[in-house]
Amino acid sequence: QVQLVESGGGLVQPGGSLRLSCAASGRTFSIYAMGWYRQASGKQRELVAHITSDDTTKYADSVKGRFTISGDNAKNTVSLQMNSLLPEDTAVYYCAAFTLGMDYWGKGILVTVSS
């Protein structure tokens, strides 16, 4: 089992920045990739950013150039630096960890971009 705990969400004005963090515990040795997903009200969950154990990253087109994902394998954490936030970035953000046997999800953290 892998447990994930997200932190860092909240309310920010358009154009502002937030940094989300996710701490993994448990069978972290089995994780080969981690990612951030989000789900806005009335919409399906979508990939925001993804990072593998060799630091290969992937981003949704809508966040390229604004968001940066980074991981610390020693600390079992993954972070998402979000800059130039837009109202359409408002969503519940979920941390995910991927193993060969199972995917794990955090409970989610709300990010609201509003003036």
Side-chain angles (χ1 to χ4, degrees), residues 57-79:
T57 58
K58 178 181 178 180
Y59 295 91
D61 288 343
S62 59
V63 307
K64 282 181 181 177
R66 300 189 297 121
F67 291 11
T68 303
I69 190 170
S70 59
D72 186 329
N73 291 331
K75 296 182 179 179
N76 297 314
T77 59
V78 63
S79 298

Side-chain angles (χ1 to χ4, degrees), residues 2-115:
V2 173
Q3 294 79 42
L4 302 171
V5 178
E6 301 109 332
S7 61
L11 173 64
V12 63
Q13 293 188 342
S17 298
L18 275 178
R19 185 177 181 86
L20 303 182
S21 294
C22 175
S25 60
R27 298 174 62 88
T28 57
F29 62 87
S30 63
I31 297 172
Y32 67 84
M34 295 186 73
W36 287 95
Y37 290 70
R38 66 186 181 188
Q39 187 167 17
S41 180
K43 295 187 177 181
Q44 290 188 331
R45 190 175 298 187
E46 63 177 2
L47 170 71
V48 176
H50 179 271
I51 186 167
T52 63
S53 56
D54 64 355
D55 290 333
T56 299
T57 58
K58 178 181 178 180
Y59 295 91
D61 288 343
S62 59
V63 307
K64 282 181 181 177
R66 300 189 297 121
F67 291 11
T68 303
I69 190 170
S70 59
D72 186 329
N73 291 331
K75 296 182 179 179
N76 297 314
T77 59
V78 63
S79 298
L80 185 70
Q81 178 64 43
M82 305 186 293
N83 299 327
S84 303
L85 282 160
L86 303 169
E88 49 263 45
D89 294 318
T90 295
V92 177
Y93 284 70
Y94 296 89
C95 176
F98 303 97
T99 71
L100 291 178
M102 195 167 179
D103 300 340
Y104 296 90
W105 295 87
K107 293 182 179 181
I109 192 164
L110 179 63
V111 171
T112 303
V113 184
S114 174
S115 55

